[in-house]
Amino acid sequence: MTQHSTPDYHFSAYAGQLPASPANRILDMAAEPGLISLAAGNPAPEAYPVEEIRRIAGEILDREPMAALPYSVPQGDPGLRAAVLDFLAGKFTPADGDGCIIVTGAQQGADLTARVLLDPGDTVLCEAPTFLGVMDAFRATGARLRGIPMAEDGIDLAALEAALREEKRVRLLYTIPNFQNPTGITLPAEKREALCRLAERYDFVILEDDPYGDLRFSGEALPPVKAFDREGRVLYMGSFSKILAPGVRTGYLVGAKPVIDRLTTLKSACDVHSNSLGQLICKRFLEEVDLGAHLERLRSIYRARCGQMLRALEREFDPRVRWTRPEGGLFLWCTLPEEDAMPFVERAAAEGVLVVPGAGFLPEPDAVSPSFRLNFSTPTGGEMERGIAILGRLTKEPAAR
Amino acid sequence: MTQHSTPDYHFSAYAGQLPASPANRILDMAAEPGLISLAAGNPAPEAYPVEEIRRIAGEILDREPMAALPYSVPQGDPGLRAAVLDFLAGKFTPADGDGCIIVTGAQQGADLTARVLLDPGDTVLCEAPTFLGVMDAFRATGARLRGIPMAEDGIDLAALEAALREEKRVRLLYTIPNFQNPTGITLPAEKREALCRLAERYDFVILEDDPYGDLRFSGEALPPVKAFDREGRVLYMGSFSKILAPGVRTGYLVGAKPVIDRLTTLKSACDVHSNSLGQLICKRFLEEVDLGAHLERLRSIYRARCGQMLRALEREFDPRVRWTRPEGGLFLWCTLPEEDAMPFVERAAAEGVLVVPGAGFLPEPDAVSPSFRLNFSTPTGGEMERGIAILGRLTKEPAAR
């Protein structure tokens, strides 16, 4: 049978109106050869501990294949959960009532959290701009996203409290406190504490997404939002994507047991459990590798790459363009003098340089943004120089804007 | 902070009333040492191609680590998708309009399908009994499950058509045509074709779950339901869990492109993509291994194991107990003369033998079933003999019932 008469499928309300992100077209282009992509979110090619992963994977399949091959438990490998809690001990002390669940990358952590906490019509507050993938997970529940503007030091607390007074069904606040995606901004400690107090007063849960926290290459480490949690209202989410490899699709959530239990039940209906070999690689990596040295190596990589990008921006960009100076992570955020960066982004793509337009990181489907995101982790040094030179020329050409 | 005052979390409607399956307590006990579990669903320990997996994983990390470690695409590795379509070519000819998506095990295939096709209040029809994990995925959407009784040759078509005339919002029919979980029953070819004609007449989609199809150890292979699909109404779902290893969490769906496209968009919001090393192991396994010889080896393993269990049942069980004689797969289904097998299952567990009570496979939360599921793939020969002897004694003790 080679012909379909293709019926009109009855898609769900969600699938019938899938949002078309303005960023998707640009991200889809990133696969085309010959383009300079400053739009990615992968670790630096030299950051992957390939030798260690190869050795560890070999040892697992040599010595304990039956730990990697059969079904495992939805909550995640108990050894990995213990290793994660040890790893986190330097950042915060989990409460007695806290549990941990392993997820198929932080993206699944957001999806599970959304489905356990949100009904259609509930409200999720997020930083505006924020990570676009997580917004898709929230939208899939039928919840409403409301963005809270970012100040230069992270989410605007006055705007947040105004929104909390206005909204009746805020169930969740999503925040990336360290080197936020896309802005690179870090939230100061006192604002982290303030978020917890607001969560208590207005009765919501905070999903703290911290994929980049270990990639701080300047300034002092800050306690996570979770460290200020008195009532079990913060779900702390971490990932191996940026410190090991995104391809292992392994992340974790730490939070109050009643929430973790429901996440676990839902996870068993979503994918039974995450890939076992990936989990065991992460476990042994935490247990066996000199993490201090590994993370210091990553920090020097990103310190050098970010420094190179900042120098290129200063040299090449029109002085009216502004950009953030992140203390860690993979991204920085450029803001043009005009209202809408989309024509600039399109022109850059036509000249072979891909950046992600700011509108893609805003919750409103028809949003307009003067900004775009630059990634300094993935391009080679040469690509970065050539890409910023082209962008810089465009910032000085009124026609491009 | 070590004390939580633990707020009353506002869970979603779904998470606030998570179904407590009568099977869960038994399955939870399976982790306890010293028990004989005839309740599992893992491949036979000797069925895992450990050497091949070890060699293939080593080669991937030696030769193409950057194929396994960075982010990949939501639809799945293109090479694996091509290898899957080649593998399926002997079973059915995909239509021109068909696409393929790789999923984090067939469980995720069911979850994504449910979320793309079902709204709260829609109806899913399934065989009664059916695989319990998939029912959890359907329930999570707020859809209503309606079970269609199983005849000795699979789903009762008259009962199915009666339900279709009655129900207004049937969007999906879920079926496991080969060696069904839990009954071991195989659906004849003419009933497979009839399902497609009903899908056309009553305008619904069929999710055909075929994890066991390659494990046929007697009788003739039948074309899948998908082979009779004229309109792109059948989603064919396969898995590497039973022919390779469940721990890789890799499965696939093949069906009409408009559906696959929406599954792909949702998947990117669920976990971005499935574990890359697992996908590449599956790809090279399909490409490099003598699959005919591998599958023949699996079939002899399960033929011998099923035969041993059937002989033990004939020897040990009370003659009033009936059981199915599967032509493949991992399970058979026993039916007691009484209405409710639960007391028997509890008594067996108290005597150290775990089986899954039939009620767990029925869609109604308060269902009662005279049956229980036996697994012949996981226990050792000795465990199987001892387990069936204990169960047999209980079938003859009225007190146990």
Side-chain angles (χ1 to χ4, degrees):
Chain A
M1 312 210 177
T2 54
Q3 287 302 315
H4 281 166
S5 59
T6 50
D8 286 331
Y9 298 100
H10 296 279
F11 290 116
S12 62
Y14 157 72
Q17 46 175 318
L18 283 176
S21 160
N24 283 355
R25 194 160 24 108
I26 301 293
L27 291 170
D28 286 347
M29 288 177 67
E32 292 176 26
L35 295 177
I36 296 175
S37 175
L38 308 176
N42 266 311
E46 68 274 23
Y48 294 95
V50 178
E51 283 305 321
E52 282 88 345
I53 293 173
R54 184 182 294 145
R55 177 184 60 75
I56 288 172
E59 285 180 11
I60 292 165
L61 291 172
D62 274 346
R63 300 180 194 169
E64 46 170 3
M66 294 310 273
L69 299 181
Y71 283 111
S72 181
V73 293
Q75 197 172 349
D77 180 78
L80 174 58
R81 280 185 271 143
V84 161
L85 291 174
D86 276 358
F87 174 66
L88 294 178
K91 303 182 186 188
F92 65 93
T93 309
D96 292 344
D98 277 352
C100 172
I101 179 175
I102 306 301
V103 287
T104 307
Q107 183 70 39
Q108 188 185 49
D111 180 49
L112 297 177
T113 299
R115 295 175 74 184
V116 157
L117 293 178
L118 302 174
D119 281 314
D122 285 345
T123 297
V124 188
L125 302 180
C126 60
E127 293 149 353
T130 192
F131 171 47
L132 47 86
V134 160
M135 287 194 288
D136 288 339
F138 295 151
R139 286 188 186 110
T141 65
R144 200 166 63 81
L145 267 79
R146 175 163 174 174
I148 308 296
M150 288 285 272
E152 279 188 20
D153 63 347
I155 191 166
D156 180 328
L157 287 181
L160 172 60
E161 196 154 5
L164 287 166
R165 275 192 301 262
E166 231 173 82
E167 300 280 350
K168 292 292 162 253
R169 290 172 62 183
V170 173
R171 300 288 182 245
L172 189 62
L173 169 75
Y174 173 73
T175 180
I176 309 171
N178 290 316
F179 333 123
Q180 197 239 16
N181 180 358
T183 62
I185 289 173
T186 294
L187 193 71
E190 59 275 17
K191 290 180 81 167
R192 298 175 187 222
E193 183 164 16
L195 289 186
C196 285
R197 298 299 87 80
L198 288 173
E200 293 165 7
R201 191 170 330 140
Y202 291 94
D203 189 18
F204 59 89
V205 169
I206 296 172
L207 177 58
E208 175 179 25
D209 191 5
D210 193 22
Y212 317 110
D214 293 305
L215 305 182
R216 175 180 280 279
F217 46 70
S218 71
E220 288 298 311
L222 298 176
V225 178
K226 177 74 177 153
F228 301 101
D229 182 20
R230 298 186 297 210
E231 297 188 344
R233 293 187 175 275
V234 180
L235 286 169
Y236 178 87
M237 182 153 75
S239 169
F240 290 90
S241 290
K242 305 305 184 288
I243 63 168
L244 190 65
V248 299
R249 310 303 311 125
T250 306
Y252 48 85
L253 280 159
V254 174
K257 248 187 126 307
V259 184
I260 298 292
D261 286 348
R262 283 166 175 83
L263 294 171
T264 303
T265 303
L266 176 57
K267 179 164 171 67
S268 82
C270 285
D271 61 4
V272 189
H273 63 84
S274 299
N275 176 285
S276 301
L277 184 55
Q279 290 191 62
L280 294 174
I281 290 172
C282 292
K283 174 178 95 88
R284 283 176 173 249
F285 191 80
L286 288 183
E287 288 171 352
E288 295 173 10
V289 167
D290 180 345
L291 274 176
H294 171 68
L295 295 177
E296 197 41 64
R297 190 175 75 84
L298 298 188
R299 288 177 198 124
S300 0
I301 290 170
Y302 296 116
R303 185 183 299 119
R305 284 173 162 273
C306 183
Q308 185 185 2
M309 184 168 272
L310 287 170
R311 284 190 302 277
L313 291 174
E314 273 151 39
R315 193 176 60 236
E316 306 287 350
F317 269 32
D318 184 286
R320 290 168 305 163
V321 183
R322 288 174 302 112
W323 53 85
T324 56
R325 300 183 152 269
E327 296 186 319
L330 311 181
F331 306 110
L332 57 79
W333 184 244
C334 294
T335 301
L336 298 172
E338 59 261 32
E339 269 187 19
D340 182 4
M342 204 62 210
F344 175 88
V345 170
E346 300 270 14
R347 178 78 180 271
E351 301 232 1
V353 184
L354 301 182
V355 303
V356 188
F361 301 99
L362 294 172
E364 302 80 20
D366 53 354
V368 167
S369 164
S371 304
F372 57 91
R373 189 189 75 177
L374 290 178
N375 164 264
F376 51 79
S377 62
T378 313
T380 64
E383 287 170 339
M384 193 192 288
E385 297 293 337
R386 286 200 307 281
I388 298 295
I390 292 169
L391 294 179
R393 174 168 52 76
L394 293 178
T395 62
K396 295 168 187 161
E397 285 178 11
R401 330 208 301 231
Chain B
M1 311 212 177
T2 54
Q3 288 302 313
H4 282 167
S5 58
T6 51
D8 287 331
Y9 298 100
H10 297 280
F11 290 116
S12 62
Y14 157 73
Q17 47 175 320
L18 283 176
S21 160
N24 282 356
R25 197 161 20 110
I26 300 293
L27 291 170
D28 286 347
M29 288 176 68
E32 292 176 26
L35 295 177
I36 296 175
S37 174
L38 307 177
N42 266 312
E46 67 274 23
Y48 294 94
V50 178
E51 283 305 320
E52 279 89 346
I53 293 173
R54 184 182 296 144
R55 177 185 58 77
I56 288 172
E59 285 179 10
I60 292 165
L61 292 172
D62 274 347
R63 299 181 195 169
E64 47 170 2
M66 294 310 271
L69 299 181
Y71 283 110
S72 181
V73 292
Q75 196 172 350
D77 180 79
L80 174 58
R81 281 186 270 142
V84 161
L85 291 174
D86 275 358
F87 175 65
L88 293 178
K91 304 183 185 187
F92 65 93
T93 308
D96 292 344
D98 278 352
C100 173
I101 179 175
I102 306 301
V103 287
T104 308
Q107 182 71 39
Q108 187 185 48
D111 180 48
L112 297 178
T113 300
R115 294 175 75 185
V116 157
L117 293 178
L118 302 173
D119 281 315
D122 285 344
T123 297
V124 187
L125 302 180
C126 60
E127 292 149 353
T130 191
F131 171 47
L132 46 85
V134 161
M135 287 195 289
D136 289 339
F138 295 151
R139 285 188 187 109
T141 64
R144 201 166 62 81
L145 267 78
R146 175 162 174 176
I148 308 297
M150 288 286 272
E152 281 188 17
D153 63 347
I155 192 166
D156 180 328
L157 287 182
L160 171 59
E161 196 154 5
L164 286 168
R165 275 192 301 261
E166 232 175 82
E167 299 280 350
K168 292 291 161 255
R169 289 173 62 183
V170 173
R171 299 288 182 247
L172 188 63
L173 169 74
Y174 173 72
T175 180
I176 310 171
N178 291 316
F179 334 124
Q180 197 240 16
N181 180 359
T183 62
I185 289 173
T186 294
L187 193 70
E190 59 275 17
K191 291 179 81 166
R192 297 177 187 220
E193 183 165 15
L195 289 186
C196 284
R197 299 299 85 81
L198 287 172
E200 292 165 8
R201 192 170 329 141
Y202 290 95
D203 188 18
F204 59 89
V205 169
I206 297 173
L207 177 58
E208 175 178 26
D209 191 5
D210 192 22
Y212 317 111
D214 293 304
L215 305 181
R216 174 180 281 279
F217 46 72
S218 70
E220 288 298 311
L222 298 176
V225 178
K226 177 74 177 153
F228 301 101
D229 182 20
R230 297 187 296 209
E231 297 188 344
R233 292 187 175 276
V234 180
L235 286 168
Y236 178 87
M237 182 154 73
S239 169
F240 290 90
S241 291
K242 305 306 185 287
I243 64 168
L244 190 66
V248 299
R249 310 303 311 121
T250 306
Y252 49 85
L253 280 160
V254 174
K257 248 189 127 303
V259 184
I260 298 292
D261 286 348
R262 281 165 176 83
L263 294 171
T264 302
T265 303
L266 176 57
K267 178 163 172 69
S268 83
C270 283
D271 62 5
V272 189
H273 63 84
S274 298
N275 176 287
S276 302
L277 184 56
Q279 290 191 63
L280 294 174
I281 290 172
C282 293
K283 174 179 92 92
R284 284 177 172 250
F285 191 80
L286 289 183
E287 288 171 350
E288 296 173 10
V289 167
D290 180 346
L291 275 177
H294 171 68
L295 296 176
E296 197 42 63
R297 189 175 77 84
L298 298 188
R299 291 178 195 122
S300 4
I301 291 170
Y302 295 117
R303 184 182 298 119
R305 284 173 162 272
C306 183
Q308 184 185 3
M309 183 168 272
L310 287 169
R311 286 190 300 277
L313 290 173
E314 273 150 38
R315 192 175 62 237
E316 304 286 351
F317 269 33
D318 184 286
R320 289 168 305 164
V321 182
R322 289 174 301 113
W323 53 85
T324 56
R325 298 183 153 271
E327 297 186 319
L330 312 180
F331 306 110
L332 57 79
W333 184 246
C334 294
T335 301
L336 297 172
E338 60 261 31
E339 269 187 17
D340 182 5
M342 203 63 208
F344 174 88
V345 170
E346 299 269 13
R347 178 79 177 271
E351 300 231 3
V353 184
L354 301 183
V355 302
V356 188
F361 300 99
L362 294 172
E364 303 78 21
D366 53 354
V368 166
S369 165
S371 304
F372 57 92
R373 189 189 74 177
L374 289 178
N375 165 264
F376 50 80
S377 63
T378 314
T380 65
E383 286 171 340
M384 194 192 286
E385 297 292 339
R386 289 200 306 281
I388 298 295
I390 291 169
L391 294 178
R393 173 166 55 73
L394 293 178
T395 62
K396 296 167 186 161
E397 284 178 9
R401 328 209 302 231

